[in-house]
Amino acid sequence: MASILSISEIAFLIGDPARTNMLFCLQNSDMASAADLTRAAGVAPSTASEHLAKLTQAGLVSVSKMGRHRYFSLGSPQVAELLEGIDALAGKLAPDGPPEMRHDQAALHARTCGDHLAGHIGVAITQSLLASGHIRQRGKTLNLSHSGRMLFQELDVPLSPLNQSPRRFMSLCHDWSEDAFHLGGGLGGAFLETCLIRDWMRRPKGRAYVDITPKGRSILRKNFGIEAGTTIPD
Amino acid sequence: MASILSISEIAFLIGDPARTNMLFCLQNSDMASAADLTRAAGVAPSTASEHLAKLTQAGLVSVSKMGRHRYFSLGSPQVAELLEGIDALAGKLAPDGPPEMRHDQAALHARTCGDHLAGHIGVAITQSLLASGHIRQRGKTLNLSHSGRMLFQELDVPLSPLNQSPRRFMSLCHDWSEDAFHLGGGLGGAFLETCLIRDWMRRPKGRAYVDITPKGRSILRKNFGIEAGTTIPD
DNA sequence: GCCATATTTCGGTTCTAGCCGAAATATAAT
DNA sequence: ATTATATTTCGGCTAGAACCGAAATATGGC
């Protein structure tokens, strides 16, 4: 027996775009730092901190302090279930409503999940890497093959710092928008960072997705065989 | 694949106390008029109308026009499922948090569901009526026995107008806060109305529950064997 | 100890959603 | 036709939430 107030409070917490982004990011990749979620939400760190405080206080997410990081995850399996339920309902109720397609299509096309690429592009890149053998999946472990190492070096993605980091080198996050997997972990983050530095992609101020520049489109085409959607015209 | 925006929009709609009241009222009793839901939400009719417009536009509730009434119900079974999910989660996350107990305990003790009594008191009255044989349940049909008719006449509840109304004379609504049943339908509404007129109960301006007066406590004790909680001291 | 990184707290601004009351509309009852 | 009831639209008010930037705190690495 739950009170109306506590019920609406929960829904209220989920019902803010920034927090929704955080929660769904957590549903994919367990263990995200505050900084990851800040990026996912597309707000200032201070704002994200406020959101996370509210979410943790309500018990929707739980936090474990590790070093100077705070890693968040969903508070309980029931939270994940609830998110799934809302997602399912949203899919039924808003069957590709045209009004929000413009803005949101771009978001889904190359959205970001924490500090790495997700959405259509994120999944396509990952599939390309797997298909070409640059990444090999054996059971639960992932390996970057020699050819893959070459590829990332060629793209100027710095790999050496990643070996010293406590973070997992690679991981596959389930992508809720594509129902497939995208590349996460340190490598996923480093790759996106390189994309931004080299102006292959641009993150609109505080958004949870990136726009792909013409330069980026040619990179994606050449290295991954991907025809990226046009967001910034040539 | 639902967009973050449409997801947070749904949660946002649920996340307002007035709308939450409406939705959970609809989960109990299908077919509630706008006026019923206005009462349930505890806001002005104009405000309720705005809420209902938003809910229908989003597809969370559906509406069927019958005469000069508009009857609402939940938009789909999935909406009901979602509400259940939130309710369940709220029960786990807010295990009797003391901060909101004061205000809310009163609300749950004698809350109203549309135009009839619900909550602890509503359920207790209904159980008393069933136990004493004033109401008989045979399969899906409900009958008011002769003794029951006498009882309500004694309490000055006007029964004759109810026979002319198109509304169902009696119904049992599932009470989400007590996990039991309370009396709805025309009789449920008429009884509450009598309680308010005779000052056995008072509805705080625009709230979705009633306070029980000392006079009302004695009525409940005498007729139903119920010890109502004290909200208004003698 | 000292610097860099991660995160929170604080102060102040802006914007939106909820609220009401009054008036308008629609439909039923007389 | 007129009156009563049910519901919506409109205008204006107010409170609260989200947001940011700057400064404060905590922690790890050196």
Side-chain angles (χ1 to χ4, degrees), chain A residues 33-35 45-46 49-50 68-70 72:
Chain A
S33 72
S46 54
S49 176
E50 286 167 7
R68 61 180 149 180
H69 293 266
R70 293 183 67 195
F72 294 86

Side-chain angles (χ1 to χ4, degrees), chain A residues 60-82:
Chain A
L60 287 176
V61 309
S62 62
V63 49
S64 63
K65 209 165 189 169
M66 284 180 64
R68 61 180 149 180
H69 293 266
R70 293 183 67 195
Y71 287 100
F72 294 86
S73 36
L74 293 185
S76 75
Q78 310 208 3
V79 176
E81 275 177 44
L82 181 56

Side-chain angles (χ1 to χ4, degrees), chain A residues 179-202:
Chain A
D179 194 23
F181 291 89
H182 61 248
L183 181 66
L187 181 58
F191 177 63
L192 175 56
E193 201 179 351
T194 300
C195 289
L196 295 171
I197 289 172
R198 312 215 113 205
D199 195 40
W200 298 336
M201 304 177 183
R202 292 178 200 150

Side-chain angles (χ1 to χ4, degrees), chain A residues 221-233:
Chain A
R221 192 181 305 120
K222 187 161 32 154
N223 292 283
F224 304 102
I226 296 170
E227 285 303 326
T230 298
T231 332
I232 299 174

Side-chain angles (χ1 to χ4, degrees), chain B residues 34-35 46 49-50 68-70:
Chain B
S46 53
S49 177
E50 287 168 5
R68 62 179 149 182
H69 293 267
R70 294 181 67 195

Side-chain angles (χ1 to χ4, degrees), chain A residues 10 74-76 79 87 93 99 104 131 136 139 157 165 184 197 221 228:
Chain A
I10 288 174
L74 293 185
S76 75
V79 176
D87 187 12
L93 293 185
D104 227 55
R136 296 224 186 79
V157 177
S165 155
I197 289 172
R221 192 181 305 120

